[in-house]
Amino acid sequence: MERSVSSTDTHRRRSFWGWGWEDEALDDRAAGNIAAAAISRMGGAEAGSDTSLMAAPKVEDLDLPESRVSPPDHLGAIVTADPYERASHTYGKSFRDVLRALIGEFRNAPDLVALPRKERAFADLEALLDWCASNRIAAIPYGGGSSVVGGIEPVVPDDYRGTISIDLRNLAGIEEIDSASRAALIYAGTMGPRLEESLRPHGLTLRHFPQSFEFSSLGGWIATRSGGHYATLYTHIDDFVESLEVITPGGDIVTRRLPGSGAGPSPDRLFIGSEGTLGIIVKAWMRLQRRPVFRASADVRFESFEDAVEAVRQISQAGLFPANCRLLDPTEAILAGGDGNVSILVLGFESADHPVEFGISRALEIARDLRGVCPPEAVRIQNRDTAAPAGHEGAAGSWRAAFLRAPYGRDALVRAGFVTETFETAVTWDAFFDLHSTVTREVKAAIEGVCGDGWIACRFTHVYPDGPAPYYTVVARGHRDPRSRLAQWDEIKSAASEALLKAGGTITHHHSIGRDHKRWYEIQAPPLYREALRSAKAALDPSGILNPGALIDPPPPR
Amino acid sequence: MERSVSSTDTHRRRSFWGWGWEDEALDDRAAGNIAAAAISRMGGAEAGSDTSLMAAPKVEDLDLPESRVSPPDHLGAIVTADPYERASHTYGKSFRDVLRALIGEFRNAPDLVALPRKERAFADLEALLDWCASNRIAAIPYGGGSSVVGGIEPVVPDDYRGTISIDLRNLAGIEEIDSASRAALIYAGTMGPRLEESLRPHGLTLRHFPQSFEFSSLGGWIATRSGGHYATLYTHIDDFVESLEVITPGGDIVTRRLPGSGAGPSPDRLFIGSEGTLGIIVKAWMRLQRRPVFRASADVRFESFEDAVEAVRQISQAGLFPANCRLLDPTEAILAGGDGNVSILVLGFESADHPVEFGISRALEIARDLRGVCPPEAVRIQNRDTAAPAGHEGAAGSWRAAFLRAPYGRDALVRAGFVTETFETAVTWDAFFDLHSTVTREVKAAIEGVCGDGWIACRFTHVYPDGPAPYYTVVARGHRDPRSRLAQWDEIKSAASEALLKAGGTITHHHSIGRDHKRWYEIQAPPLYREALRSAKAALDPSGILNPGALIDPPPPR
């Protein structure tokens, strides 16, 4: 990573209302510039626009509800009701979260926050879960808190006596490295930067870079089936999980480290994507890569979006496995230098073992056959000998740095009165154009109906031989009244979600279900399968205390 | 495939006691030759060896137990108690199965065999499951019957009133092809040859060739996490499953066709590997490939097995993704032209899109750096222009034909009085040498202790960046008394299984659990995870009628 910001930085504080570090939030001038750019992109009317900035809230001004429960003595050392901690654990980082935090709406703050200790990880977690189970307190596992789907928000059914957010940040670091198998046993609370910093001296990398990389944890990635660096092949964190150590109210589950197995349904796959409802992931053996030293990349421009999609389909089916294969539609491409008419395909190949010219040449051949334009001098090749110094990864590195900082800009737009959010899906190739036109049409109609001005843009974050994972960004002029503005987004989100499901997509490719997607998940996932999951949960979490309200309804307490 | 043997051949009959077609079983002369070769390989003593052949049994001579249950009228059209059908559905195809069948031991024959009709698939299956659930009859889903782990053997707990084998062979064929996404909706009862024949006119292939290919079905592959053609990357059938249609006693589950998803724990993964205990797979959308036209292959010889293993490790971690990367230890390599001291690595690359010289060159570079010997003229390259006519795939094709016919030879060895069987595992690289020496030592000791003469050989069937999947073959001189011979194998199998688990392996990489591996699976799989699986089963199969005795114990009936 370019910036060596470690989650162990003790002199810096995480924002309790918005993205990232408090001291990295955009100042008013920078925020104003971003707002003005968005307004001008909507076709003027800047003069009549009120983009005055909402002030960032202060912890000391918050009106937090009284904690309804207090910890017993034996948990006193690891449980706190500190207002900053409670406020920080109230929301994830979606548009809805940031806007509600900005207006000081914290009535769902967790009653308590727990910080189990690394040296007593299993004992602390067991004691916490026992106490919660005995007192019907909802226990919400918390990694980096970067959920954009209400995954860690302490909104639980009425019959719980209280809520406790269990923050795993102290359960961080690498316990063991197996260089021969290229794998490491890593604590679940390890955040992206620390994880990569610890592996770098060994020449290894997990190479999983979700946009939340700086502020999300390994356990969170696994619990939510995070999507990472690779556009093809190793797209989800799922592929990198070799084994898990999980604690549940019913006991521990430690799966066997195996490179592959055919022994019954995969136990790891039950917990991957379980979103804190089945157990708390404590450690995982993760499959690693050697750090790449060969790279090739290129941007290809297409006059026709349909041609570009067809090129991506053919590339995804050619067995070339690009690390990057990001198609930007004309609207999305504006930010990458497009003119609003051209689509841009960003291709990247990389390897720790061998030059990758062959892969990119063949991919460009396919793209050019479909009228893609990429002058030969625009193809960037980086081989071992020409490798940039560690930490400097050229254009791709700069792009990633900007990508990782984008959420700070999003916060500025929220402060300036916009509705701004993303949603994503995956769908088979045969259904893509129908899905894309349906989603675009329905969302545009919703934007026009509820907001007036705004836009929707699409890129592919990941592609598979059988279909792409389209990712949509919505930016619209919002109501000045925050409650009305939340309602505006809710309407747009409903229109988008209905369209996704109707057209054969998934409600989420990598953002997960949480609380916000639950009603669409209940349409997508077969009812009897959800019943089987709930039944499995009853064996692991008989009191139903683990993250109730997210993903699946807890079964009735035994 | 070289031989166009379709499962729809109505003039040929499957063997009820051994492998494959009745008329392809080796005749006495050929069987005698194989037995003589094995004896001479054990170091002579041929004169004193009794390798007289057991006679193949005849259906009309079998003493089948009376059926304990008879079907109600409304199932009369699809249920039979025909002796040939009952005998054919009594066993899979392991050594234990063939030997017990040879001696006419059929006391566990299913009471009935059901053949649901394609045009009424869901209705027939629902009626069958309803009847079984109401009458506590064990329902055992049956695909091709090629299990080598007792997966379809009607051995169930005492409290079941009877057993019915539900053969899906009529639920065969391809329902729909989506060429854009390269996927097809295929009935679960479709056997390998018919599946590939139906896809060929479309230029597509599932390219999944387990050794049982001719006599196993898509549904069986999915239910058992079958291992197929690809040595790397797409090793298990799991990777090719896009969605499933499953019927359970509790109702149907139809998952959504998606190229990727992050919506909760994967529903497909719950059924992949469930071995008929959670539901009956009726159809699946499968991810397909275009048929390869570019190929490269080479054999590399190593004086040192350790060097060869290190070469495979490095190749598996280089991101080259060979389709074939089969390492034969010195004993295994004898059948491939080795001298008993040399290890042979069989490498193959293939692509439908582009030449694969680059991949094989780099893999050979790695192998030669580790003292592997492969003269340049021994590298076979086949490009589009030089492609062999359809159905003729050169050396690899011949190898595959021999590989697919090997079980007929195994049957001959069983008839001649040998103990002969295989077992397989997967383990991380750091633990491989310890596992291999432990397994080899323990199994050799067991062979010597219970059989006297015999050998154990090892090959890698699949390799992963984090470890290989070693596959072991045992051939030993057996007792002439079949019961004693079964006990001999049981002792060797126990020694092997204990060693695998002790050394960190899985009890199975792709043969699955069935009944034969259950007691070791119960050591390998965390108890609480198995409890969660049983709990999920209670939601899907509340009466516990689905394949009781395999994989997991049914929960107590509700």
Side-chain angles (χ1 to χ4, degrees):
Chain A
M1 299 304 302
E2 289 60 37
R3 306 185 60 258
S4 182
V5 175
S6 160
S7 54
T8 55
D9 273 3
T10 48
H11 60 291
R12 308 181 78 191
R13 208 161 79 146
R14 290 280 304 275
S15 169
F16 74 89
W17 64 269
W19 188 254
W21 301 110
E22 272 188 351
D23 59 9
E24 299 246 348
L26 298 192
D27 62 22
D28 285 1
R29 174 191 293 265
N33 288 344
I34 284 185
I39 288 291
S40 97
R41 190 165 163 188
M42 280 169 198
E46 196 170 349
S49 298
D50 177 4
T51 58
S52 59
L53 296 167
M54 298 169 72
K58 295 191 168 64
V59 171
E60 50 274 27
D61 298 337
L62 296 181
D63 183 25
L64 293 178
E66 282 287 308
S67 292
R68 292 164 293 180
V69 289
S70 51
D73 287 349
H74 72 281
L75 294 175
I78 56 168
V79 172
T80 177
D82 172 72
Y84 168 77
E85 292 291 354
R86 289 180 65 205
S88 298
H89 291 77
T90 306
Y91 291 121
K93 300 298 176 190
S94 73
F95 161 75
R96 295 177 71 243
D97 296 337
V98 174
L99 184 49
R100 287 181 295 167
L102 277 172
I103 59 173
E105 166 55 66
F106 280 85
R107 82 188 129 174
N108 288 320
D111 295 294
L112 299 168
V113 174
L115 294 162
R117 294 160 294 195
K118 182 174 176 180
E119 61 280 11
R120 296 178 40 86
F122 279 94
D124 280 355
L125 286 167
E126 190 182 324
L128 282 164
L129 294 178
D130 278 354
W131 178 62
C132 291
S134 307
N135 294 279
R136 196 146 182 82
I137 295 165
I140 301 175
Y142 185 101
S146 66
S147 172
V148 289
V149 296
I152 49 84
E153 188 176 338
V155 174
V156 304
D158 287 342
D159 62 326
Y160 290 83
R161 290 186 45 224
T163 58
I164 184 165
S165 184
I166 301 182
D167 185 326
L168 304 175
R169 69 185 182 226
N170 293 332
L171 278 52
I174 290 181
E175 184 155 292
E176 193 180 338
I177 291 186
D178 167 5
S179 299
S181 315
R182 289 195 332 200
L185 178 60
I186 307 175
Y187 274 94
T190 314
M191 306 291 248
R194 175 161 175 189
L195 191 156
E196 287 295 332
E197 281 160 24
S198 307
L199 294 175
R200 183 178 290 128
H202 303 272
L204 294 167
T205 170
L206 180 60
R207 216 155 177 71
H208 183 79
F209 298 112
Q211 190 166 27
S212 60
F213 175 78
E214 263 189 275
F215 306 105
S216 55
S217 68
L218 176 66
W221 300 340
I222 296 171
T224 61
R225 300 181 71 182
S226 157
H229 178 80
Y230 289 96
T232 65
L233 204 56
Y234 303 124
T235 55
H236 285 101
I237 194 76
D238 312 26
D239 302 311
F240 298 127
V241 175
E242 194 181 66
S243 72
L244 293 176
E245 299 188 19
V246 180
I247 184 165
T248 83
D252 301 346
I253 291 186
V254 179
T255 66
R256 191 166 274 236
R257 277 190 72 192
L258 293 171
S261 183
S266 163
D268 298 325
R269 296 274 179 173
L270 179 64
F271 291 97
I272 295 173
S274 62
E275 304 193 13
T277 64
L278 300 183
I280 299 179
I281 298 162
V282 180
K283 302 178 200 171
W285 273 98
M286 299 300 295
R287 299 178 177 127
L288 307 173
Q289 320 267 317
R290 273 181 294 145
R291 301 179 65 77
V293 288
F294 300 94
R295 287 194 178 80
S297 61
D299 298 345
V300 189
R301 288 163 182 255
F302 292 86
E303 291 299 317
S304 150
F305 182 61
E306 287 70 25
D307 279 350
V309 170
E310 176 61 13
V312 172
R313 185 182 76 88
Q314 291 187 20
I315 291 168
S316 75
Q317 297 182 346
L320 297 167
F321 308 122
N324 198 351
C325 187
R326 189 181 307 108
L327 175 59
L328 314 176
D329 83 350
T331 307
E332 183 83 23
I334 291 174
L335 294 176
D339 60 5
N341 294 307
V342 73
S343 301
I344 299 180
L345 171 60
V346 183
L347 281 172
F349 288 77
E350 53 185 37
S351 171
D353 179 74
H354 49 262
V356 290
E357 279 101 329
F358 180 82
I360 199 155
S361 301
R362 176 64 191 128
L364 287 173
E365 197 170 76
I366 292 170
R368 288 175 183 138
D369 281 352
L370 284 150
R371 293 162 288 281
V373 176
C374 175
E377 65 275 16
V379 182
R380 298 171 293 278
I381 307 284
Q382 183 187 351
N383 282 336
R384 197 195 310 266
D385 303 338
T386 61
H392 296 275
E393 297 180 351
S398 314
W399 182 86
R400 201 168 65 225
F403 173 67
L404 294 178
R405 287 188 54 77
Y408 291 112
R410 188 276 314 262
D411 288 356
L413 288 176
V414 181
R415 289 179 60 208
F418 289 83
V419 170
T420 169
E421 191 50 287
T422 63
F423 62 90
E424 34 85 71
T425 189
V427 69
T428 48
W429 288 111
D430 65 317
F432 167 70
F433 283 114
D434 175 51
L435 175 138
H436 182 64
S437 63
T438 307
V439 165
T440 306
R441 185 181 62 240
E442 302 286 328
V443 169
K444 276 186 177 162
I447 291 173
E448 276 171 36
V450 301
C451 294
D453 294 331
W455 73 79
I456 175 170
C458 175
R459 64 174 185 261
F460 291 174
T461 55
H462 303 81
V463 292
Y464 301 87
D466 52 340
Y471 187 99
Y472 293 91
T473 301
V474 170
V475 180
R477 200 101 70 100
H479 207 288
R480 289 307 304 184
D481 171 56
R483 301 262 161 223
S484 306
R485 184 141 54 108
L486 289 168
Q488 287 177 315
W489 169 245
D490 287 347
E491 256 191 71
I492 297 168
K493 174 73 176 175
S494 286
S497 302
E498 303 296 330
L500 289 180
L501 285 181
K502 196 168 57 184
T506 171
I507 190 60
T508 178
H509 172 266
H510 60 268
H511 281 173
S512 80
I513 301 298
R515 287 161 179 81
D516 298 355
H517 282 151
K518 188 156 168 283
R519 68 179 155 123
W520 294 291
Y521 176 66
E522 288 173 358
I523 297 167
Q524 172 173 340
L528 186 57
Y529 171 68
R530 288 187 287 114
E531 197 51 40
L533 260 191
R534 292 179 69 201
S535 194
K537 178 179 168 77
L540 304 171
D541 176 23
S543 308
I545 53 161
L546 281 174
N547 209 8
L551 190 61
I552 48 169
D553 290 324
R558 276 182 183 176
Chain B
M1 299 304 303
E2 287 62 37
R3 306 183 59 258
S4 181
V5 175
S6 160
S7 55
T8 53
D9 272 5
T10 47
H11 61 291
R12 309 181 78 193
R13 208 162 78 146
R14 290 279 305 275
S15 170
F16 74 89
W17 64 269
W19 188 254
W21 301 110
E22 273 188 349
D23 59 10
E24 298 246 348
L26 299 191
D27 63 23
D28 286 0
R29 173 190 294 266
N33 288 343
I34 283 185
I39 287 292
S40 97
R41 191 166 162 188
M42 280 169 198
E46 196 171 351
S49 297
D50 177 3
T51 57
S52 58
L53 296 167
M54 298 168 72
K58 294 190 169 64
V59 171
E60 50 273 28
D61 297 338
L62 297 181
D63 183 24
L64 292 179
E66 283 287 307
S67 292
R68 293 164 293 179
V69 288
S70 52
D73 287 349
H74 72 281
L75 294 175
I78 57 168
V79 172
T80 177
D82 171 72
Y84 167 77
E85 291 291 354
R86 289 180 66 204
S88 298
H89 291 78
T90 305
Y91 291 121
K93 300 299 175 189
S94 72
F95 161 75
R96 295 177 70 242
D97 296 337
V98 174
L99 184 49
R100 288 182 295 168
L102 278 170
I103 60 174
E105 166 55 67
F106 280 85
R107 80 187 131 176
N108 288 319
D111 295 294
L112 300 167
V113 174
L115 294 161
R117 296 159 293 194
K118 183 174 176 180
E119 62 281 11
R120 295 179 40 86
F122 280 93
D124 280 355
L125 286 167
E126 189 183 326
L128 281 164
L129 294 178
D130 278 354
W131 178 62
C132 290
S134 308
N135 293 279
R136 196 147 181 81
I137 296 165
I140 301 175
Y142 186 100
S146 66
S147 173
V148 290
V149 296
I152 50 84
E153 188 177 337
V155 174
V156 304
D158 286 343
D159 61 327
Y160 289 83
R161 290 185 47 226
T163 58
I164 183 165
S165 184
I166 302 182
D167 185 325
L168 304 175
R169 70 186 182 224
N170 293 331
L171 278 51
I174 291 181
E175 185 154 291
E176 193 180 339
I177 291 186
D178 167 5
S179 298
S181 315
R182 290 193 332 199
L185 178 60
I186 307 175
Y187 275 93
T190 314
M191 307 292 248
R194 176 162 173 188
L195 191 156
E196 288 295 332
E197 280 159 24
S198 306
L199 294 175
R200 183 178 291 128
H202 303 272
L204 294 167
T205 170
L206 180 61
R207 218 156 176 69
H208 183 81
F209 298 112
Q211 190 167 27
S212 60
F213 175 78
E214 264 189 275
F215 305 105
S216 55
S217 68
L218 177 65
W221 300 340
I222 296 171
T224 61
R225 300 182 70 182
S226 158
H229 177 79
Y230 288 96
T232 66
L233 204 55
Y234 303 125
T235 55
H236 285 100
I237 193 77
D238 311 26
D239 302 310
F240 297 128
V241 175
E242 194 180 68
S243 72
L244 293 176
E245 299 187 20
V246 180
I247 185 165
T248 83
D252 301 346
I253 291 185
V254 179
T255 67
R256 191 167 274 238
R257 275 189 73 192
L258 294 171
S261 183
S266 162
D268 297 326
R269 295 276 179 171
L270 180 64
F271 291 98
I272 296 172
S274 62
E275 305 192 12
T277 64
L278 300 183
I280 299 179
I281 298 162
V282 180
K283 302 179 201 171
W285 273 99
M286 299 300 294
R287 300 180 176 124
L288 307 173
Q289 321 266 317
R290 272 182 294 145
R291 301 178 65 78
V293 288
F294 300 95
R295 287 193 178 80
S297 60
D299 297 346
V300 189
R301 287 163 182 255
F302 292 87
E303 291 299 318
S304 150
F305 182 61
E306 286 70 23
D307 280 348
V309 170
E310 176 61 14
V312 171
R313 185 182 76 89
Q314 291 186 20
I315 291 168
S316 75
Q317 296 181 346
L320 296 167
F321 309 122
N324 198 349
C325 187
R326 189 181 305 107
L327 175 60
L328 314 175
D329 83 349
T331 307
E332 184 81 24
I334 291 173
L335 294 176
D339 60 5
N341 294 307
V342 74
S343 300
I344 298 180
L345 171 60
V346 183
L347 281 171
F349 287 76
E350 53 185 36
S351 171
D353 179 74
H354 49 262
V356 289
E357 279 102 330
F358 180 83
I360 199 154
S361 300
R362 175 65 191 127
L364 286 173
E365 198 171 75
I366 292 171
R368 287 175 182 138
D369 281 351
L370 284 151
R371 294 162 287 283
V373 176
C374 175
E377 65 274 16
V379 182
R380 298 171 293 278
I381 306 284
Q382 181 187 335
N383 282 336
R384 197 194 309 265
D385 302 340
T386 61
H392 295 276
E393 299 178 350
S398 312
W399 182 86
R400 201 168 65 225
F403 173 68
L404 294 178
R405 287 188 55 78
Y408 291 111
R410 188 276 315 263
D411 288 356
L413 287 176
V414 181
R415 290 179 60 208
F418 289 83
V419 170
T420 169
E421 189 50 286
T422 63
F423 61 91
E424 35 84 70
T425 189
V427 69
T428 48
W429 289 111
D430 64 318
F432 167 69
F433 283 114
D434 173 52
L435 176 138
H436 182 64
S437 63
T438 307
V439 165
T440 307
R441 185 181 62 240
E442 303 287 326
V443 169
K444 277 185 175 161
I447 291 174
E448 275 172 37
V450 301
C451 294
D453 295 330
W455 71 80
I456 175 170
C458 175
R459 65 175 185 260
F460 291 174
T461 55
H462 304 82
V463 292
Y464 301 87
D466 52 338
Y471 186 100
Y472 294 91
T473 301
V474 170
V475 181
R477 201 101 70 100
H479 207 288
R480 289 307 301 183
D481 171 57
R483 300 263 161 221
S484 306
R485 182 139 55 107
L486 288 167
Q488 287 176 315
W489 169 245
D490 287 347
E491 256 191 71
I492 297 168
K493 174 72 176 175
S494 286
S497 302
E498 302 296 330
L500 289 181
L501 285 182
K502 195 167 59 185
T506 171
I507 190 61
T508 178
H509 172 267
H510 60 267
H511 281 173
S512 80
I513 302 298
R515 288 161 179 80
D516 298 357
H517 282 152
K518 188 156 168 281
R519 67 179 155 122
W520 293 289
Y521 175 66
E522 288 173 359
I523 297 168
Q524 172 173 339
L528 186 57
Y529 170 68
R530 287 187 287 113
E531 197 50 41
L533 260 192
R534 292 179 70 203
S535 195
K537 178 179 168 77
L540 304 170
D541 176 24
S543 308
I545 53 161
L546 281 174
N547 209 7
L551 190 62
I552 47 171
D553 289 325
R558 277 182 184 174

